Amino acid sequence: MISPVFLSLKLALVTSALLFVLGMPLAWWLASTRFRFRFLVEAVVALPIVLPPTVLGFYLLLVLGSRGALGAMWQRFTGHTFAFSFEGLVLGSVIYSLPFAVQPFTSALASVDRRLLAASASLGAAPWRTFWRITFPLALPGIVTGIALSFAHTLGEFGVVLMLGGNIPGRTQTASIAIYDNVQMLEYTAAAHQSLVLLGISLALLIGIHALNRKRNWRMQ
Amino acid sequence: MSGDLRVEIETALAHFCLKCHFDARPEVVVLFGASGAGKSSVLECIAGFRTPERGEIALGERILFSSAQGVDIPAHRRRVGYLSQQSALFPHLSVRENVEYGLLDQPRAERELRVEAILERFKIASLARRRPAAISGGEQQRVALARTLVCESEVLLLDEPLSALDEALKSLLLETIFDWQRERAVPMLYVTHEQSEAYLLSRRVLVLEAGKVIADGAPREVFNTPVRREQASLAGYENIFDAVLEALHPEMGTMTCRLGGSGLLMEAPVANRLAGEAVCLAMRAGDILVATERPSGISARNIVPGRVEVIEDRAGMVELRVLCGAGAATAFVVHITRGAREALDLHHGKSVWLIIKTHSIQFLRG
């Protein structure tokens, strides 16, 4: 049986990795497009920031449950429901943490000086090389921030997980829910241990990001 | 070795339509004009950063852009070297990494050889491991120049690359650029709005105004015989006056002109005109001498009394406005050195004589 803290870490890791893979192309598009209705896409991406997690969780439950279109299809292929599974938690977390990854990615990519990109092209670098050698390294602090924020945000998520995961110990009971359960059952010692672990991880992450950015700024000056 | 550069482009800019047509052999061509004349836009079109609406850009046999044929080679495949006023060095790479950026496809041994050579040539080898932020602005521009030149492009586009540098460094770098172009024999377009650079660099100047080439020739021709007023003011003729041709003296090689307003009479070199015709005269502020007493025994034909109205300190010199003629209606702009101002004890209201050689007066077509 997996401990709730370990499950939370695993969920956060998978979610932030997926957000990097999916969020970068989306951020790249947002940073470079001249599409008129870009603001609509940005609004949809930002929605999870203002939406109560329970609302998001509720809608996901409708879609992913065994009566939902997606949930039914998933069940036919895999034999188990999408809701109340680790995969369901991952999907919910990806949507819930999307703005925390995509917004830092987008502003980091957009802040790279266009003149550097023009210089790179005039030195014969194809767009792919320009991206990996110039854009990506210069945007890296923002990208790392986005990954870390989505990791930390997933780690602390409660509402979506509760709605969608159903608090099944060992499968969908994450640390934040376990803490809530422990408090309900007056198991303060266990709650304190788990809280301390989450606090430590979150703090270490944020300190890490700030130290990294500081070191980088110092090197570029 | 590369071919001639052919440019024939048409595109709408913010305030006018860029409509530009010229050829450049493997030579240095200076694109000269006021800021906003469209010089940089021409370079951006050639480099591939801006797509013209119509026209064709070709380098020898290679077509870089053609609206008729639907060709638009992307910037990174044009083999066009481009450098602007901002050095645009990659801030996360060292000086060496910046310089070798354009050579990443070359075998390592050759790449290192070429990078070493150019670092030596631009005297930046000692900076190789530093990052751009850790070196001075002049050094940054040298690195940027080295980074562009090391690629051995087939054409070089330099957009006021030295405008932020001090004079000493500027002339040193101009020489390096000039030598480089001679060795490689590639066409080079050099944008500037400074005449001194044009004289130093090139035997050919294209004057651009509101997106059109209005003059094309040797610097001496283009700058000394301005054909139009705008060009004259661009070319550094601070004094431009409307006048009426009073009398012609072909035997003496001069003609007498009466300036509008003040009625001052000036002797200008004779031109193929008729008495009574309206003309336009232009004089450089630096070609006018100032005396505090009326000079005698002097060859200059124009000795004009006047009064100092304004004295202003400018970079490296002093600019005077001297009012002359009836009703003090003609104002001459005169440039002198700081030493001259002190020696002559010039101040507001002081009476002076302006001395202008006949051949310092340019006759404009209108």
Side-chain angles (χ1 to χ4, degrees), chain A residues 6-58:
Chain A
F6 184 78
L7 185 73
S8 276
L9 286 174
K10 182 176 152 196
L11 179 64
L13 201 69
V14 172
T15 302
S16 50
L18 273 175
L19 277 172
F20 173 67
V21 174
L22 302 173
M24 279 299 282
L26 179 58
W28 175 250
W29 180 80
L30 283 172
S32 53
T33 186
R34 292 187 190 161
F35 179 54
R36 266 176 68 196
F37 298 107
R38 188 184 73 176
F39 69 96
L40 288 179
V41 180
E42 284 174 322
V44 171
V45 170
L47 200 58
I49 294 178
V50 292
L51 208 61
T54 43
V55 173
L56 183 67
F58 176 69

Side-chain angles (χ1 to χ4, degrees), chain B residues 38 109 123 135 230 265 301:
Chain B
K123 302 189 173 57
I135 62 180
E230 304 85 61
L265 290 176
R301 302 299 301 149

Side-chain angles (χ1 to χ4, degrees), chain B residues 34-180:
Chain B
S35 55
K39 302 173 304 235
S40 299
S41 304
V42 172
L43 295 202
E44 285 164 12
C45 287
I46 301 170
F49 304 145
R50 180 191 283 272
T51 309
E53 281 155 32
R54 269 179 299 283
E56 187 169 301
I57 301 169
L59 197 54
E61 299 291 302
R62 215 150 59 85
I63 293 179
L64 302 181
F65 173 81
S66 166
S67 55
Q69 295 177 41
V71 176
D72 187 5
I73 307 282
H76 68 276
R77 287 214 300 267
R78 291 196 177 195
R79 296 204 290 279
V80 168
Y82 173 86
L83 177 63
S84 72
Q85 200 174 332
Q86 297 86 14
S87 53
L89 292 177
F90 306 127
H92 58 304
L93 302 180
S94 70
V95 164
R96 174 189 297 278
E97 288 165 332
N98 264 283
V99 172
E100 69 181 4
Y101 188 84
L103 302 175
L104 291 176
D105 293 328
Q106 305 286 332
R108 194 192 166 104
E110 188 192 334
R111 185 167 77 210
E112 282 179 0
L113 217 63
R114 277 164 69 177
V115 169
E116 285 309 323
I118 200 134
L119 289 176
E120 281 300 321
R121 182 157 188 172
F122 279 86
K123 302 189 173 57
I124 45 176
S126 60
L127 309 174
R129 296 171 65 174
R130 301 237 206 127
R131 281 178 195 256
I135 62 180
S136 74
E139 289 166 341
Q140 286 179 11
Q141 203 58 0
R142 253 146 76 196
V143 174
L145 200 54
R147 181 178 75 173
T148 303
L149 294 181
V150 79
C151 292
E152 309 273 347
S153 315
E154 293 177 22
V155 61
L156 275 176
L157 310 173
L158 305 181
D159 192 351
E160 306 202 31
L162 310 179
S163 60
L165 308 183
D166 65 64
E167 291 301 323
L169 186 57
K170 195 185 269 187
S171 55
L172 193 79
L173 285 185
L174 272 178
E175 232 164 88
T176 317
I177 294 173
F178 192 48
D179 288 348
W180 184 273

Side-chain angles (χ1 to χ4, degrees), chain B residues 285-291 308 311-320 322 333-346 352 354:
Chain B
D287 285 348
I288 302 178
L289 303 182
V290 182
V308 177
I311 304 185
E312 252 177 69
D313 250 314
R314 294 288 177 86
M317 52 108 171
V318 176
E319 182 171 298
L320 306 177
V322 180
V333 177
V334 182
H335 290 167
I336 58 171
T337 60
R338 292 209 179 97
R341 176 181 61 183
E342 273 167 32
L344 297 180
D345 184 29
L346 293 179
V352 292
L354 300 183

